[in-house]
PDB file of all heavy atoms in Angstrom:
ATOM      1  N   GLU A 287      59.237  47.787-120.484  1.00 96.00           N
ATOM      2  CA  GLU A 287      59.606  47.943-119.077  1.00 96.00           C
ATOM      3  C   GLU A 287      60.482  46.773-118.616  1.00 96.00           C
ATOM      4  O   GLU A 287      61.502  46.979-117.957  1.00 96.00           O
ATOM      5  CB  GLU A 287      58.352  48.040-118.198  1.00 96.00           C
ATOM      6  CG  GLU A 287      58.624  48.026-116.709  1.00 96.00           C
ATOM      7  CD  GLU A 287      59.314  49.273-116.179  1.00 96.00           C
ATOM      8  OE1 GLU A 287      59.373  50.296-116.894  1.00 96.00           O
ATOM      9  OE2 GLU A 287      59.803  49.227-115.038  1.00 96.00           O
ATOM     10  N   THR A 288      60.094  45.557-118.965  1.00 95.00           N
ATOM     11  CA  THR A 288      60.894  44.384-118.595  1.00 95.00           C
ATOM     12  C   THR A 288      62.283  44.475-119.213  1.00 95.00           C
ATOM     13  O   THR A 288      63.285  44.216-118.537  1.00 95.00           O
ATOM     14  CB  THR A 288      60.175  43.096-119.049  1.00 95.00           C
ATOM     15  OG1 THR A 288      58.911  43.036-118.392  1.00 95.00           O
ATOM     16  CG2 THR A 288      60.992  41.862-118.709  1.00 95.00           C
ATOM     17  N   TRP A 289      62.354  44.852-120.496  1.00 94.00           N
ATOM     18  CA  TRP A 289      63.660  45.013-121.135  1.00 94.00           C
ATOM     19  C   TRP A 289      64.489  46.052-120.406  1.00 94.00           C
ATOM     20  O   TRP A 289      65.678  45.843-120.133  1.00 94.00           O
ATOM     21  CB  TRP A 289      63.514  45.429-122.606  1.00 94.00           C
ATOM     22  CG  TRP A 289      64.816  45.867-123.164  1.00 94.00           C
ATOM     23  CD1 TRP A 289      65.808  45.064-123.652  1.00 94.00           C
ATOM     24  CD2 TRP A 289      65.321  47.204-123.215  1.00 94.00           C
ATOM     25  NE1 TRP A 289      66.896  45.824-124.021  1.00 94.00           N
ATOM     26  CE2 TRP A 289      66.624  47.137-123.759  1.00 94.00           C
ATOM     27  CE3 TRP A 289      64.811  48.445-122.860  1.00 94.00           C
ATOM     28  CZ2 TRP A 289      67.405  48.270-123.955  1.00 94.00           C
ATOM     29  CZ3 TRP A 289      65.597  49.566-123.061  1.00 94.00           C
ATOM     30  CH2 TRP A 289      66.879  49.471-123.604  1.00 94.00           C
ATOM     31  N   ALA A 290      63.888  47.207-120.099  1.00 92.00           N
ATOM     32  CA  ALA A 290      64.633  48.303-119.455  1.00 92.00           C
ATOM     33  C   ALA A 290      65.222  47.859-118.124  1.00 92.00           C
ATOM     34  O   ALA A 290      66.380  48.143-117.823  1.00 92.00           O
ATOM     35  CB  ALA A 290      63.717  49.516-119.262  1.00 92.00           C
ATOM     36  N   ARG A 291      64.450  47.156-117.348  1.00 89.00           N
ATOM     37  CA  ARG A 291      64.948  46.706-116.039  1.00 89.00           C
ATOM     38  C   ARG A 291      66.059  45.681-116.173  1.00 89.00           C
ATOM     39  O   ARG A 291      66.994  45.677-115.389  1.00 89.00           O
ATOM     40  CB  ARG A 291      63.801  46.155-115.208  1.00 89.00           C
ATOM     41  CG  ARG A 291      62.860  47.248-114.764  1.00 89.00           C
ATOM     42  CD  ARG A 291      61.729  46.700-113.944  1.00 89.00           C
ATOM     43  NE  ARG A 291      60.809  47.772-113.610  1.00 89.00           N
ATOM     44  CZ  ARG A 291      60.100  47.805-112.508  1.00 89.00           C
ATOM     45  NH1 ARG A 291      60.211  46.841-111.625  1.00 89.00           N
ATOM     46  NH2 ARG A 291      59.282  48.796-112.291  1.00 89.00           N
ATOM     47  N   THR A 292      65.961  44.794-117.161  1.00 88.00           N
ATOM     48  CA  THR A 292      67.002  43.782-117.328  1.00 88.00           C
ATOM     49  C   THR A 292      68.225  44.338-118.051  1.00 88.00           C
ATOM     50  O   THR A 292      69.316  43.796-117.908  1.00 88.00           O
ATOM     51  CB  THR A 292      66.470  42.547-118.079  1.00 88.00           C
ATOM     52  OG1 THR A 292      65.969  42.955-119.358  1.00 88.00           O
ATOM     53  CG2 THR A 292      65.375  41.865-117.288  1.00 88.00           C
ATOM     54  N   ALA A 293      68.067  45.413-118.817  1.00 84.00           N
ATOM     55  CA  ALA A 293      69.209  46.011-119.516  1.00 84.00           C
ATOM     56  C   ALA A 293      70.080  46.824-118.571  1.00 84.00           C
ATOM     57  O   ALA A 293      71.239  47.113-118.875  1.00 84.00           O
ATOM     58  CB  ALA A 293      68.723  46.902-120.662  1.00 84.00           C
ATOM     59  N   SER A 294      69.539  47.204-117.429  1.00 74.00           N
ATOM     60  CA  SER A 294      70.309  47.985-116.455  1.00 74.00           C
ATOM     61  C   SER A 294      71.568  47.237-116.069  1.00 74.00           C
ATOM     62  O   SER A 294      71.553  46.033-115.873  1.00 74.00           O
ATOM     63  CB  SER A 294      69.457  48.255-115.209  1.00 74.00           C
ATOM     64  OG  SER A 294      68.356  49.050-115.555  1.00 74.00           O
ATOM     65  N   GLY A 295      72.671  47.970-116.006  1.00 69.00           N
ATOM     66  CA  GLY A 295      73.968  47.373-115.690  1.00 69.00           C
ATOM     67  C   GLY A 295      74.735  46.899-116.903  1.00 69.00           C
ATOM     68  O   GLY A 295      75.881  46.485-116.796  1.00 69.00           O
ATOM     69  N   SER A 296      74.122  46.963-118.083  1.00 69.00           N
ATOM     70  CA  SER A 296      74.803  46.491-119.287  1.00 69.00           C
ATOM     71  C   SER A 296      75.672  47.580-119.899  1.00 69.00           C
ATOM     72  O   SER A 296      75.524  48.761-119.606  1.00 69.00           O
ATOM     73  CB  SER A 296      73.787  45.985-120.317  1.00 69.00           C
ATOM     74  OG  SER A 296      72.969  47.036-120.762  1.00 69.00           O
ATOM     75  N   SER A 297      76.553  47.162-120.760  1.00 66.00           N
ATOM     76  CA  SER A 297      77.433  48.101-121.451  1.00 66.00           C
ATOM     77  C   SER A 297      76.724  48.664-122.675  1.00 66.00           C
ATOM     78  O   SER A 297      76.003  47.951-123.369  1.00 66.00           O
ATOM     79  CB  SER A 297      78.715  47.401-121.892  1.00 66.00           C
ATOM     80  OG  SER A 297      79.477  48.260-122.712  1.00 66.00           O
ATOM     81  N   LEU A 298      76.929  49.938-122.909  1.00 66.00           N
ATOM     82  CA  LEU A 298      76.396  50.564-124.117  1.00 66.00           C
ATOM     83  C   LEU A 298      77.499  50.745-125.154  1.00 66.00           C
ATOM     84  O   LEU A 298      77.284  51.357-126.184  1.00 66.00           O
ATOM     85  CB  LEU A 298      75.771  51.921-123.777  1.00 66.00           C
ATOM     86  CG  LEU A 298      74.539  51.882-122.892  1.00 66.00           C
ATOM     87  CD1 LEU A 298      74.136  53.295-122.477  1.00 66.00           C
ATOM     88  CD2 LEU A 298      73.390  51.198-123.605  1.00 66.00           C
ATOM     89  N   GLY A 299      78.688  50.258-124.846  1.00 65.00           N
ATOM     90  CA  GLY A 299      79.816  50.434-125.741  1.00 65.00           C
ATOM     91  C   GLY A 299      80.508  51.772-125.551  1.00 65.00           C
ATOM     92  O   GLY A 299      81.588  51.999-126.066  1.00 65.00           O
ATOM     93  N   ILE A 300      79.913  52.662-124.808  1.00 63.00           N
ATOM     94  CA  ILE A 300      80.482  53.986-124.555  1.00 63.00           C
ATOM     95  C   ILE A 300      80.384  54.343-123.074  1.00 63.00           C
ATOM     96  O   ILE A 300      80.700  55.445-122.671  1.00 63.00           O
ATOM     97  CB  ILE A 300      79.786  55.078-125.404  1.00 63.00           C
ATOM     98  CG1 ILE A 300      78.256  54.946-125.346  1.00 63.00           C
ATOM     99  CG2 ILE A 300      80.219  55.027-126.837  1.00 63.00           C
ATOM    100  CD1 ILE A 300      77.646  55.492-124.129  1.00 63.00           C
ATOM    101  N   GLY A 301      79.905  53.396-122.310  1.00 71.00           N
ATOM    102  CA  GLY A 301      79.711  53.603-120.880  1.00 71.00           C
ATOM    103  C   GLY A 301      78.777  52.531-120.365  1.00 71.00           C
ATOM    104  O   GLY A 301      78.471  51.573-121.063  1.00 71.00           O
ATOM    105  N   SER A 302      78.316  52.686-119.141  1.00 81.00           N
ATOM    106  CA  SER A 302      77.440  51.675-118.567  1.00 81.00           C
ATOM    107  C   SER A 302      76.068  52.249-118.276  1.00 81.00           C
ATOM    108  O   SER A 302      75.930  53.389-117.841  1.00 81.00           O
ATOM    109  CB  SER A 302      78.060  51.111-117.287  1.00 81.00           C
ATOM    110  OG  SER A 302      78.212  52.143-116.325  1.00 81.00           O
ATOM    111  N   LEU A 303      75.061  51.440-118.535  1.00 85.00           N
ATOM    112  CA  LEU A 303      73.686  51.805-118.249  1.00 85.00           C
ATOM    113  C   LEU A 303      73.425  51.481-116.784  1.00 85.00           C
ATOM    114  O   LEU A 303      73.453  50.322-116.388  1.00 85.00           O
ATOM    115  CB  LEU A 303      72.734  51.031-119.153  1.00 85.00           C
ATOM    116  CG  LEU A 303      71.246  51.308-118.991  1.00 85.00           C
ATOM    117  CD1 LEU A 303      70.931  52.763-119.308  1.00 85.00           C
ATOM    118  CD2 LEU A 303      70.446  50.378-119.893  1.00 85.00           C
ATOM    119  N   GLU A 304      73.211  52.503-115.991  1.00 88.00           N
ATOM    120  CA  GLU A 304      73.001  52.300-114.556  1.00 88.00           C
ATOM    121  C   GLU A 304      71.591  51.798-114.269  1.00 88.00           C
ATOM    122  O   GLU A 304      71.402  50.892-113.477  1.00 88.00           O
ATOM    123  CB  GLU A 304      73.274  53.587-113.783  1.00 88.00           C
ATOM    124  CG  GLU A 304      74.719  54.029-113.863  1.00 88.00           C
ATOM    125  CD  GLU A 304      75.664  52.977-113.308  1.00 88.00           C
ATOM    126  OE1 GLU A 304      75.456  52.515-112.169  1.00 88.00           O
ATOM    127  OE2 GLU A 304      76.613  52.609-114.025  1.00 88.00           O
ATOM    128  N   TRP A 305      70.597  52.408-114.871  1.00 89.00           N
ATOM    129  CA  TRP A 305      69.216  51.963-114.726  1.00 89.00           C
ATOM    130  C   TRP A 305      68.376  52.535-115.859  1.00 89.00           C
ATOM    131  O   TRP A 305      68.750  53.506-116.499  1.00 89.00           O
ATOM    132  CB  TRP A 305      68.616  52.345-113.363  1.00 89.00           C
ATOM    133  CG  TRP A 305      68.675  53.809-113.021  1.00 89.00           C
ATOM    134  CD1 TRP A 305      69.572  54.411-112.193  1.00 89.00           C
ATOM    135  CD2 TRP A 305      67.820  54.863-113.487  1.00 89.00           C
ATOM    136  NE1 TRP A 305      69.334  55.761-112.128  1.00 89.00           N
ATOM    137  CE2 TRP A 305      68.248  56.068-112.895  1.00 89.00           C
ATOM    138  CE3 TRP A 305      66.716  54.906-114.335  1.00 89.00           C
ATOM    139  CZ2 TRP A 305      67.629  57.292-113.132  1.00 89.00           C
ATOM    140  CZ3 TRP A 305      66.094  56.128-114.574  1.00 89.00           C
ATOM    141  CH2 TRP A 305      66.556  57.294-113.972  1.00 89.00           C
ATOM    142  N   ALA A 306      67.238  51.907-116.064  1.00 92.00           N
ATOM    143  CA  ALA A 306      66.247  52.391-117.038  1.00 92.00           C
ATOM    144  C   ALA A 306      64.887  51.848-116.630  1.00 92.00           C
ATOM    145  O   ALA A 306      64.793  50.750-116.073  1.00 92.00           O
ATOM    146  CB  ALA A 306      66.605  51.930-118.448  1.00 92.00           C
ATOM    147  N   HIS A 307      63.847  52.624-116.881  1.00 94.00           N
ATOM    148  CA  HIS A 307      62.488  52.160-116.609  1.00 94.00           C
ATOM    149  C   HIS A 307      61.473  53.072-117.290  1.00 94.00           C
ATOM    150  O   HIS A 307      61.784  54.191-117.683  1.00 94.00           O
ATOM    151  CB  HIS A 307      62.214  52.060-115.105  1.00 94.00           C
ATOM    152  CG  HIS A 307      62.268  53.377-114.382  1.00 94.00           C
ATOM    153  ND1 HIS A 307      61.144  54.100-114.091  1.00 94.00           N
ATOM    154  CD2 HIS A 307      63.318  54.087-113.900  1.00 94.00           C
ATOM    155  CE1 HIS A 307      61.497  55.200-113.445  1.00 94.00           C
ATOM    156  NE2 HIS A 307      62.806  55.227-113.328  1.00 94.00           N
ATOM    157  N   VAL A 308      60.259  52.558-117.421  1.00 96.00           N
ATOM    158  CA  VAL A 308      59.156  53.346-117.973  1.00 96.00           C
ATOM    159  C   VAL A 308      58.667  54.267-116.862  1.00 96.00           C
ATOM    160  O   VAL A 308      58.431  53.826-115.734  1.00 96.00           O
ATOM    161  CB  VAL A 308      58.014  52.434-118.468  1.00 96.00           C
ATOM    162  CG1 VAL A 308      56.787  53.248-118.867  1.00 96.00           C
ATOM    163  CG2 VAL A 308      58.486  51.583-119.647  1.00 96.00           C
ATOM    164  N   THR A 309      58.531  55.558-117.173  1.00 95.00           N
ATOM    165  CA  THR A 309      58.166  56.524-116.133  1.00 95.00           C
ATOM    166  C   THR A 309      56.729  57.031-116.232  1.00 95.00           C
ATOM    167  O   THR A 309      56.226  57.629-115.284  1.00 95.00           O
ATOM    168  CB  THR A 309      59.103  57.744-116.158  1.00 95.00           C
ATOM    169  OG1 THR A 309      59.014  58.369-117.432  1.00 95.00           O
ATOM    170  CG2 THR A 309      60.537  57.325-115.879  1.00 95.00           C
ATOM    171  N   GLY A 310      56.073  56.838-117.339  1.00 95.00           N
ATOM    172  CA  GLY A 310      54.700  57.316-117.466  1.00 95.00           C
ATOM    173  C   GLY A 310      54.181  57.093-118.878  1.00 95.00           C
ATOM    174  O   GLY A 310      54.953  56.788-119.786  1.00 95.00           O
ATOM    175  N   ALA A 311      52.864  57.240-119.035  1.00 96.00           N
ATOM    176  CA  ALA A 311      52.247  57.013-120.351  1.00 96.00           C
ATOM    177  C   ALA A 311      50.963  57.802-120.484  1.00 96.00           C
ATOM    178  O   ALA A 311      50.335  58.185-119.489  1.00 96.00           O
ATOM    179  CB  ALA A 311      51.968  55.526-120.550  1.00 96.00           C
ATOM    180  N   GLU A 312      50.593  58.035-121.732  1.00 96.00           N
ATOM    181  CA  GLU A 312      49.279  58.552-122.090  1.00 96.00           C
ATOM    182  C   GLU A 312      48.657  57.520-123.012  1.00 96.00           C
ATOM    183  O   GLU A 312      49.351  56.917-123.828  1.00 96.00           O
ATOM    184  CB  GLU A 312      49.376  59.890-122.818  1.00 96.00           C
ATOM    185  CG  GLU A 312      49.865  61.039-121.969  1.00 96.00           C
ATOM    186  CD  GLU A 312      49.890  62.332-122.758  1.00 96.00           C
ATOM    187  OE1 GLU A 312      50.706  62.425-123.685  1.00 96.00           O
ATOM    188  OE2 GLU A 312      49.070  63.216-122.450  1.00 96.00           O
ATOM    189  N   VAL A 313      47.350  57.336-122.886  1.00 96.00           N
ATOM    190  CA  VAL A 313      46.656  56.329-123.684  1.00 96.00           C
ATOM    191  C   VAL A 313      45.622  57.024-124.563  1.00 96.00           C
ATOM    192  O   VAL A 313      44.834  57.844-124.083  1.00 96.00           O
ATOM    193  CB  VAL A 313      45.968  55.281-122.782  1.00 96.00           C
ATOM    194  CG1 VAL A 313      45.241  54.244-123.626  1.00 96.00           C
ATOM    195  CG2 VAL A 313      46.986  54.621-121.866  1.00 96.00           C
ATOM    196  N   PHE A 314      45.637  56.672-125.846  1.00 95.00           N
ATOM    197  CA  PHE A 314      44.694  57.220-126.818  1.00 95.00           C
ATOM    198  C   PHE A 314      43.947  56.047-127.459  1.00 95.00           C
ATOM    199  O   PHE A 314      44.583  55.122-127.957  1.00 95.00           O
ATOM    200  CB  PHE A 314      45.423  58.024-127.894  1.00 95.00           C
ATOM    201  CG  PHE A 314      46.257  59.145-127.334  1.00 95.00           C
ATOM    202  CD1 PHE A 314      47.576  58.934-126.976  1.00 95.00           C
ATOM    203  CD2 PHE A 314      45.705  60.405-127.150  1.00 95.00           C
ATOM    204  CE1 PHE A 314      48.346  59.965-126.445  1.00 95.00           C
ATOM    205  CE2 PHE A 314      46.465  61.439-126.625  1.00 95.00           C
ATOM    206  CZ  PHE A 314      47.785  61.218-126.270  1.00 95.00           C
ATOM    207  N   LEU A 315      42.628  56.104-127.439  1.00 96.00           N
ATOM    208  CA  LEU A 315      41.807  55.032-127.985  1.00 96.00           C
ATOM    209  C   LEU A 315      41.003  55.561-129.164  1.00 96.00           C
ATOM    210  O   LEU A 315      40.488  56.679-129.123  1.00 96.00           O
ATOM    211  CB  LEU A 315      40.854  54.483-126.922  1.00 96.00           C
ATOM    212  CG  LEU A 315      41.506  54.016-125.625  1.00 96.00           C
ATOM    213  CD1 LEU A 315      40.428  53.579-124.627  1.00 96.00           C
ATOM    214  CD2 LEU A 315      42.507  52.903-125.869  1.00 96.00           C
ATOM    215  N   SER A 316      40.907  54.742-130.197  1.00 94.00           N
ATOM    216  CA  SER A 316      40.159  55.132-131.389  1.00 94.00           C
ATOM    217  C   SER A 316      39.341  53.936-131.860  1.00 94.00           C
ATOM    218  O   SER A 316      39.858  52.819-131.949  1.00 94.00           O
ATOM    219  CB  SER A 316      41.137  55.567-132.481  1.00 94.00           C
ATOM    220  OG  SER A 316      40.465  55.793-133.689  1.00 94.00           O
TER     221      SER A 316
END
Side-chain angles (χ1 to χ4, degrees):
E287 173 69 14
T288 299
W289 168 82
R291 290 180 184 211
T292 58
S294 296
S296 65
S297 172
L298 294 172
I300 47 79
S302 62
L303 181 62
E304 295 300 308
W305 55 259
H307 64 98
V308 172
T309 60
E312 292 182 293
V313 180
F314 303 89
L315 305 176
S316 173

